Amino acid sequence: MLTDRQLLIFQVIVDDFIQSAQPVGSRSLSKKDEISFSSATIRNEMADLEELGFIEKTHTSSGRIPSEKGYRYYVDHLLSPQRLGKEDVYRVKSIFADRIYELEKIVQKSAKILSEMTNYTSIVLGPDLGENKLKKIQIVPLNEQTAIAIIVTDTGHVENRMFQLPENIDAGELEKLVNILNERLSGVPMDQLHNKIYKEVAVLLRQHISHYDYMLHSITETIKAPAGEKLFFGGKMNMLSQPEFHDIDKVRNLMNMIEQEKGFYDLIRHHHSGIQVKIGRENNNEAIDNCSLITASYSVGKERLGTIAILGPTRMEYSRVISLLHYFSKDLSAVLTNLYQNENRG
Amino acid sequence: MLTDRQLLIFQVIVDDFIQSAQPVGSRSLSKKDEISFSSATIRNEMADLEELGFIEKTHTSSGRIPSEKGYRYYVDHLLSPQRLGKEDVYRVKSIFADRIYELEKIVQKSAKILSEMTNYTSIVLGPDLGENKLKKIQIVPLNEQTAIAIIVTDTGHVENRMFQLPENIDAGELEKLVNILNERLSGVPMDQLHNKIYKEVAVLLRQHISHYDYMLHSITETIKAPAGEKLFFGGKMNMLSQPEFHDIDKVRNLMNMIEQEKGFYDLIRHHHSGIQVKIGRENNNEAIDNCSLITASYSVGKERLGTIAILGPTRMEYSRVISLLHYFSKDLSAVLTNLYQNENRG
DNA sequence: ATTAGCACTCAACGATTAAGAGTGCTAACA
DNA sequence: TGTTAGCACTCTTAATCGTTGAGTGCTAAT
């Protein structure tokens, strides 16, 4: 449908615009090494490309910029899978170099490094804690009125919460409570705990524990906290350096969206396998109308854990970001699989 | 040194400018109810006020705006201690209304509410964890290679870290280790733990525990994390709505400073008692040249725990923010004293 | 001591102009 | 027939220039 020459011209336009953020004119194109024909010819071809909807003008006599349809075509057909630079590879490796074993810290550091490498904003969706299984519950009394309940999951996630003790409870009883809980609940997925407690454990507790109702309430309150996934951002402010965000109102819109988190959560969680590119209004969200979102997922073994995403202007470096994300998600998955797969079966 | 009339005019100028962000002219002043004399008189007085350095012009024929010296005088001498509105009182109370007992969550929620109430940026410096005393150390093995170390302090702060177990360590030995640690280290301030371990506990461990050196290293790594205080921000983006930050570069400077945290840490930690107002360049920091920082501290009993601060444009509502912070720090201190003083002695 | 009056200044705004980058179209060319 | 040189035209950008209005400082009258 497009001639080779049109393809060439189109590609050069996109590459140039990604780099310069300025509309590309026929004259400046004709000077490029890749291009051997005159500006007049280019103008003709550009007129065709515009008619086909791949490029557009910002005003009647301006150079051309890629349209959203253009970016889509560029991403789908024109992107040669680029090899990641040595430095980039090194940088990614560095995340896993020093001994971090906590999933949450790895995820957080990933977000930070990704944003630094790209100068865009990174968003990492952490794993769903609801699927984690309970490893251990512990209660540490601080004094006569207060105690800390601590729960540890099989992936090493720790959640804690302070609560008030009923009056005159003795240490032995507290220990008994904890023992019962651990005995009955160990290995149960977090999101089923609440149910299981009320269906099976409550009866047991009523028999053995005084203040049964009060304690039960405190424990379940502690447990229900860590449901769902958590979002981590990196380089929230990087967008400020992008010329498309010189307008304060756009910045405010974007920042509002970031602060509310919910919007991104919806955008990111539905993720098919492989790398996904959503361009501009494809995201269906006004606040990021002139942004693109590139997502990939990471996993332990075959089980998908979460999503990594890079948010940049539609004029973003698709090639680089895609290969980076591709490499990154593979590497992260490998490390995590190595780290956690044994554990879950250990 | 200033006549009553100059004082009146000055006060009205500041109040007006704080509200409108526009230079105040003699004509618009003369129309105010408080002011009964003509614009010409006002012009004369304003000329004097300018000569004294309290107000300045943005250009030769503009109205006047307060200078930094002017704001200083306004804050020091012209501010009548305003009573907090009913709604505000209610709002502050709401922070402590639902049962939150964790210090960190209280602090975080405080930052959020303060920024919402003022539409400025709030910064809360959490308590120095180094002074917390160790309550309990626990180790939860996840599988054969990995375990989680958890430390709980007397204020209920929980810190945790994953580490690799040495091969073939048995559960009994792990338990012995934990027992020794708790026996010897319970009640020791966090920032002295490291020392104490190497001076007193290391010898003991060497006698009883195999893999002594490896485990010791892992434990001390876990312990050294929670040194120092932590900063919490609220309403980072509120400044975007202030007209003085319509310039993207200023926004970038400010945000860089916020992201680095260090700058604010230095600004806030040195705090004398009472409420402190630092205006514009008094803060000695270019990124917040046209901002003022109002700080107050909160405490448990007599012991100062941390600092609350509000960052706004120099043109901020000093009166309101000061009374809010005053009330807030008193209330927060009362709640915390009530909550923790018993515990520390319990 | 106060104020009315007036000349003066300056930012903000709109209109005008000139330069420059780019286009579309036409006609000549290979 | 595809390519290109040439040219008229468009539109942005930046600079220039009045014009308006808000505000000032000074002077002279009250």
Side-chain angles (χ1 to χ4, degrees):
Chain A
M1 145 191 190
L2 287 186
T3 68
D4 282 356
R5 193 167 65 187
Q6 284 173 327
L7 238 43
L8 172 62
I9 290 177
F10 176 60
Q11 171 126 33
V12 176
I13 290 176
V14 179
D15 287 339
D16 188 283
F17 183 70
I18 283 177
Q19 206 262 311
S20 70
Q22 296 296 327
V24 188
S26 59
R27 214 180 110 78
S28 71
L29 269 186
S30 71
K31 284 188 192 148
K32 302 235 168 192
D33 288 345
E34 305 97 301
I35 284 175
S36 55
F37 25 87
S38 79
S39 62
T41 310
I42 294 171
R43 281 201 289 283
N44 288 330
E45 299 287 29
M46 290 207 295
D48 290 349
L49 283 168
E50 179 166 6
E51 207 166 346
L52 290 167
F54 291 110
I55 55 179
E56 46 192 38
K57 292 188 270 195
T58 59
H59 61 267
T60 16
S61 74
S62 76
R64 305 305 211 288
I65 64 174
S67 66
E68 287 193 6
K69 182 178 172 188
Y71 283 122
R72 174 88 283 160
Y73 187 85
Y74 175 82
V75 167
D76 289 345
H77 302 108
L78 257 41
L79 234 42
S80 53
Q82 197 193 334
R83 267 193 71 76
L84 215 52
K86 240 186 173 178
E87 273 212 20
D88 289 340
V89 172
Y90 177 78
R91 197 78 192 282
V92 172
K93 290 262 182 252
S94 81
I95 300 178
F96 316 117
D98 41 293
R99 308 194 160 198
I100 326 175
Y101 300 110
E102 278 125 302
L103 185 50
E104 200 161 80
K105 279 193 190 146
I106 294 179
V107 165
Q108 214 161 357
K109 194 166 177 191
S110 297
K112 181 157 175 283
I113 299 268
L114 278 174
S115 69
E116 283 170 7
M117 289 178 72
T118 57
N119 277 316
Y120 302 130
T121 299
S122 69
I123 307 148
V124 183
L125 183 65
D128 184 355
L129 294 175
E131 289 177 15
N132 282 201
K133 292 172 189 116
L134 180 75
K135 191 79 193 182
K136 193 146 200 183
I137 295 186
Q138 296 191 312
I139 294 181
V140 178
L142 295 178
N143 53 43
E144 263 134 47
Q145 303 104 48
T146 323
I148 304 265
I150 301 174
I151 50 185
V152 183
T153 75
D154 60 344
T155 64
H157 180 82
V158 176
E159 197 75 35
N160 65 280
R161 197 184 144 91
M162 204 184 271
F163 67 96
Q164 296 293 83
L165 290 171
E167 277 177 44
N168 303 322
I169 192 165
D170 73 276
E173 193 153 47
L174 217 49
E175 202 173 318
K176 199 157 64 180
L177 168 68
V178 173
N179 285 340
I180 293 177
L181 289 173
N182 275 311
E183 205 171 295
R184 296 287 156 166
L185 298 176
S186 184
V188 174
M190 296 298 288
D191 52 9
Q192 292 170 30
L193 274 183
H194 195 269
N195 231 324
K196 183 123 180 168
I197 286 179
Y198 277 99
K199 282 206 178 136
E200 301 179 23
V201 188
V203 196
L204 206 62
L205 290 182
R206 172 174 264 154
Q207 292 167 4
H208 294 87
I209 310 285
S210 60
H211 311 290
Y212 134 88
D213 48 349
Y214 184 96
M215 291 301 291
L216 195 63
H217 178 256
S218 295
I219 295 291
T220 51
E221 278 298 300
T222 309
I223 276 163
K224 80 176 173 196
E229 306 98 324
K230 218 167 156 187
L231 275 183
F232 299 86
F233 287 84
K236 285 183 190 177
M237 299 302 157
N238 282 0
M239 290 307 214
L240 292 183
S241 318
Q242 298 294 343
E244 21 274 286
F245 281 93
H246 267 337
D247 178 11
I248 279 272
D249 284 335
K250 276 185 193 154
V251 174
R252 246 214 315 273
N253 276 337
L254 178 64
M255 291 304 164
N256 277 341
M257 182 171 171
I258 288 181
E259 298 246 304
Q260 284 169 20
E261 297 209 349
K262 168 122 182 42
F264 277 108
Y265 183 72
D266 292 342
L267 279 179
I268 284 177
R269 71 192 297 206
H270 312 289
H271 182 79
H272 318 306
S273 67
I275 292 205
Q276 202 175 89
V277 182
K278 288 267 190 182
I279 296 163
R281 277 168 303 185
E282 290 174 11
N283 287 301
N284 247 330
N285 189 312
E286 271 203 41
I288 56 169
D289 254 7
N290 24 37
C291 293
S292 287
L293 191 67
I294 305 184
T295 51
S297 56
Y298 61 93
S299 40
V300 164
K302 298 266 173 195
E303 187 195 6
R304 190 167 303 138
L305 273 197
T307 310
I308 327 169
I310 301 281
L311 179 77
T314 42
R315 182 191 62 76
M316 79 195 284
E317 292 185 78
Y318 292 97
S319 174
R320 183 172 141 69
V321 172
I322 287 174
S323 25
L324 177 61
L325 232 44
H326 183 75
Y327 178 77
F328 191 94
S329 70
K330 261 174 87 169
D331 216 38
L332 177 59
S333 296
V335 170
L336 292 183
T337 301
N338 190 28
L339 211 60
Y340 287 106
Q341 195 151 57
N342 306 325
E343 283 176 25
N344 287 336
R345 304 182 177 167
Chain B
M1 143 190 189
L2 288 185
T3 68
D4 282 357
R5 193 167 65 187
Q6 284 172 328
L7 238 45
L8 173 62
I9 290 176
F10 176 61
Q11 170 125 31
V12 176
I13 290 176
V14 179
D15 287 339
D16 187 283
F17 183 70
I18 283 177
Q19 206 263 313
S20 70
Q22 296 297 325
V24 188
S26 59
R27 213 179 110 78
S28 72
L29 270 186
S30 71
K31 282 187 192 151
K32 302 234 169 192
D33 289 343
E34 305 97 300
I35 282 173
S36 54
F37 26 89
S38 78
S39 62
T41 310
I42 295 171
R43 280 200 291 282
N44 289 329
E45 300 286 29
M46 290 207 296
D48 291 349
L49 284 168
E50 179 166 7
E51 206 165 346
L52 291 167
F54 291 110
I55 55 180
E56 47 193 38
K57 292 187 271 197
T58 59
H59 61 268
T60 15
S61 73
S62 76
R64 305 305 210 289
I65 65 173
S67 67
E68 287 193 6
K69 182 179 171 188
Y71 283 122
R72 171 95 314 211
Y73 187 86
Y74 176 82
V75 167
D76 289 345
H77 301 107
L78 257 41
L79 235 43
S80 53
Q82 198 192 333
R83 266 194 70 78
L84 215 54
K86 240 185 172 177
E87 273 212 20
D88 289 339
V89 172
Y90 177 79
R91 197 81 192 281
V92 172
K93 291 263 183 252
S94 81
I95 301 178
F96 316 116
D98 41 293
R99 307 192 161 200
I100 326 174
Y101 300 109
E102 279 125 303
L103 186 49
E104 201 162 89
K105 279 195 190 144
I106 295 180
V107 165
Q108 214 162 356
K109 194 165 178 192
S110 296
K112 181 156 176 283
I113 299 269
L114 278 175
S115 69
E116 283 172 6
M117 290 177 73
T118 57
N119 278 314
Y120 303 129
T121 300
S122 69
I123 308 147
V124 183
L125 183 65
D128 184 356
L129 293 175
E131 290 177 15
N132 283 200
K133 293 175 189 111
L134 180 75
K135 192 79 193 182
K136 193 147 201 184
I137 295 185
Q138 296 192 311
I139 294 182
V140 178
L142 294 178
N143 54 45
E144 264 135 48
Q145 303 104 47
T146 323
I148 304 264
I150 300 173
I151 50 185
V152 183
T153 75
D154 60 344
T155 64
H157 181 82
V158 176
E159 198 75 35
N160 65 281
R161 196 185 145 91
M162 203 185 271
F163 67 96
Q164 296 293 83
L165 290 171
E167 278 178 40
N168 302 323
I169 192 165
D170 73 277
E173 194 153 47
L174 218 48
E175 201 173 319
K176 200 157 61 181
L177 168 69
V178 173
N179 284 340
I180 292 177
L181 289 173
N182 275 312
E183 206 172 294
R184 297 284 156 168
L185 297 176
S186 184
V188 174
M190 297 299 288
D191 51 9
Q192 292 170 30
L193 275 183
H194 195 269
N195 230 322
K196 183 121 180 169
I197 286 180
Y198 277 100
K199 282 208 178 134
E200 301 178 23
V201 187
V203 196
L204 206 63
L205 290 182
R206 172 174 264 154
Q207 294 166 4
H208 294 87
I209 311 284
S210 60
H211 311 291
Y212 134 88
D213 49 348
Y214 183 96
M215 290 301 290
L216 195 63
H217 178 256
S218 295
I219 295 290
T220 50
E221 278 297 301
T222 309
I223 275 164
K224 80 176 173 197
E229 306 98 324
K230 218 169 158 188
L231 275 182
F232 298 86
F233 287 84
K236 285 182 190 177
M237 298 303 157
N238 282 0
M239 290 306 214
L240 292 183
S241 318
Q242 299 295 342
E244 21 275 287
F245 281 92
H246 267 336
D247 178 12
I248 281 271
D249 284 334
K250 278 186 193 155
V251 174
R252 246 214 315 272
N253 277 337
L254 178 65
M255 291 304 164
N256 278 341
M257 181 169 172
I258 288 182
E259 298 246 307
Q260 284 170 19
E261 297 210 348
K262 169 124 182 40
F264 277 109
Y265 184 73
D266 292 342
L267 278 179
I268 284 177
R269 72 193 295 205
H270 312 289
H271 183 81
H272 316 307
S273 68
I275 292 207
Q276 202 175 89
V277 182
K278 288 267 191 184
I279 295 162
R281 279 166 302 185
E282 290 175 11
N283 288 302
N284 248 332
N285 189 312
E286 271 203 41
I288 56 169
D289 254 8
N290 26 36
C291 292
S292 287
L293 191 66
I294 305 184
T295 51
S297 56
Y298 62 93
S299 40
V300 164
K302 299 266 172 194
E303 187 196 6
R304 191 168 304 139
L305 274 197
T307 310
I308 327 167
I310 301 283
L311 180 77
T314 42
R315 182 191 63 77
M316 79 196 284
E317 292 186 78
Y318 293 97
S319 174
R320 185 172 138 69
V321 172
I322 288 174
S323 26
L324 177 61
L325 233 44
H326 182 76
Y327 178 77
F328 191 93
S329 69
K330 261 174 88 169
D331 217 37
L332 178 58
S333 297
V335 170
L336 292 182
T337 301
N338 190 30
L339 212 59
Y340 287 105
Q341 195 152 56
N342 306 324
E343 282 176 25
N344 286 335
R345 306 183 175 164

